[in-house]
Amino acid sequence: MTGRGMLRYFGLVGLAYLVATLGTGLTDYLTAAEVSRTKALVISGSVGLVVALLLGMIDLAKSGSSRAVAMDPPGIPAGRVPPPGGYTIPTPAGRYPVDGPGASYPGGYGGTFPAGASAPAGAATAPARRRGGVGLVLSALLLLGLCAGGGYLATTAVQAGVQKLSEFATPPWINKRNEQGQERLAAEVSKTGGPLTITVLSVEVTSQATKVKIRGENTGGDALTLPTFGRAQLTAAGETLLPDPGASTWPETVPAGGEATGVIVFDGVLGADTDSVRLSFSVIHGSFDAPPNIAVDIPLQ
């Protein structure tokens, strides 16, 4: 195989590898809830490399078949006259016709060199083989670089693209719920009213909201309902924050003899100098034994 052929082969292998890696990496990220970068690199790189090598073998087989068909043109006796770019004349090394076409070979080696035939190609094949060797080395280095870095770059690009697409496709209230912020709760605090106990587990302040995680415990025989929309509020230094029910995960109902845990997302951000806040529910439904409302004073840091 010539240098150009090897370059074409390894170029096709590298191209197919990148395409296969992109497709496999995209499939990984779209079909799995969470895939680490290492896992995605191993899976996509391995599958992509196997597919690329298979495609390269098919292309190599086709090229070899084409050369075999063109090896012996009809009407040219084997071993006498070389086809264009073909074999060498079976004559001692370094001996060629001395008087041009039609002359005898030196040293009494039988036969004449037919008129109009080209010179033996043996002397020209060595440079071609050298060029092929250089092309093979360069192509191998190129493929090695693609295999080593192509999978990582493709997987990283797919991950970034899917993340951006996810950000555009995700509703804003989900982004508000999932945004990470700064923990401000100084210590867990509870408030009990009748069979109901509310415990504040976390107060997290993000760039656009304040998230309060609570646990409700109900020791009574009836389920209790603590609605958030229009009924829950967070008050600090004369400022009142209202909840976003769509972004919140608080189930609102605390089962009889059980407990419930969730996060209430309030629109607005608490100031850095705020050292305490009050969480309150203005209405509690479900039992005459429960208080009509409840409030918890929360220390902040």
Side-chain angles (χ1 to χ4, degrees):
M1 178 182 289
T2 64
R4 181 177 298 177
M6 293 300 295
L7 183 62
R8 177 173 175 268
Y9 166 71
F10 284 114
L12 289 175
V13 169
L15 179 61
Y17 173 75
L18 289 179
V19 173
T21 301
L22 284 171
T24 307
L26 181 60
T27 301
D28 288 341
Y29 281 103
L30 292 180
T31 57
E34 182 177 356
V35 178
S36 66
R37 178 175 298 181
T38 302
K39 179 181 177 182
L41 176 59
V42 172
I43 294 176
S44 62
S46 300
V47 174
L49 184 56
V50 169
V51 173
L53 290 177
L54 289 177
L55 292 176
M57 291 175 63
I58 293 174
D59 181 74
L60 186 60
K62 289 181 178 179
S63 300
S65 176
S66 300
R67 288 194 305 274
V69 172
M71 192 67 74
D72 294 316
I76 303 297
R80 296 292 295 173
V81 178
Y87 348 101
T88 61
I89 299 275
T91 183
R95 297 187 176 187
Y96 302 101
V98 296
D99 295 325
S104 298
Y105 288 94
Y109 195 81
T112 59
F113 191 75
S118 59
T125 56
R129 284 195 295 270
R130 285 197 296 270
R131 288 195 297 270
V134 173
L136 176 61
V137 173
L138 293 178
S139 300
L141 292 176
L142 175 62
L143 180 61
L144 180 62
L146 289 174
C147 291
Y152 179 80
L153 293 176
T155 303
T156 302
V158 169
Q159 182 183 26
V162 172
Q163 182 176 358
K164 288 295 183 181
L165 181 62
S166 177
E167 291 177 359
F168 284 118
T170 303
W173 58 88
I174 301 298
N175 288 331
K176 186 189 302 184
R177 175 198 302 169
N178 296 334
E179 182 183 2
Q180 301 297 314
Q182 179 184 7
E183 180 61 50
R184 295 287 305 277
L185 181 65
E188 292 187 5
V189 61
S190 300
K191 180 64 177 292
T192 300
L196 176 66
T197 299
I198 298 294
T199 302
V200 178
L201 305 175
S202 171
V203 177
E204 184 179 0
V205 179
T206 69
S207 63
Q208 56 183 331
T210 300
K211 303 189 293 185
V212 181
K213 184 177 182 180
I214 63 174
R215 179 178 65 242
E217 299 176 78
N218 181 9
T219 59
D222 300 313
L224 301 177
T225 300
L226 289 77
T228 55
F229 181 71
R231 303 299 183 183
Q233 59 184 20
L234 198 64
T235 306
E239 181 182 8
T240 300
L241 306 182
L242 300 179
D244 182 347
S248 302
T249 62
W250 169 245
E252 297 192 349
T253 298
V254 183
E259 64 179 39
T261 303
V263 176
I264 304 175
V265 180
F266 293 91
D267 289 322
V269 177
L270 296 175
D273 57 345
T274 303
D275 56 5
S276 65
V277 68
R278 168 172 287 193
L279 170 67
S280 60
F281 292 89
S282 60
V283 173
I284 300 175
H285 300 293
S287 174
F288 290 109
D289 295 330
N293 52 64
I294 194 169
V296 186
D297 290 322
I298 307 169
L300 301 179
Q301 60 182 359

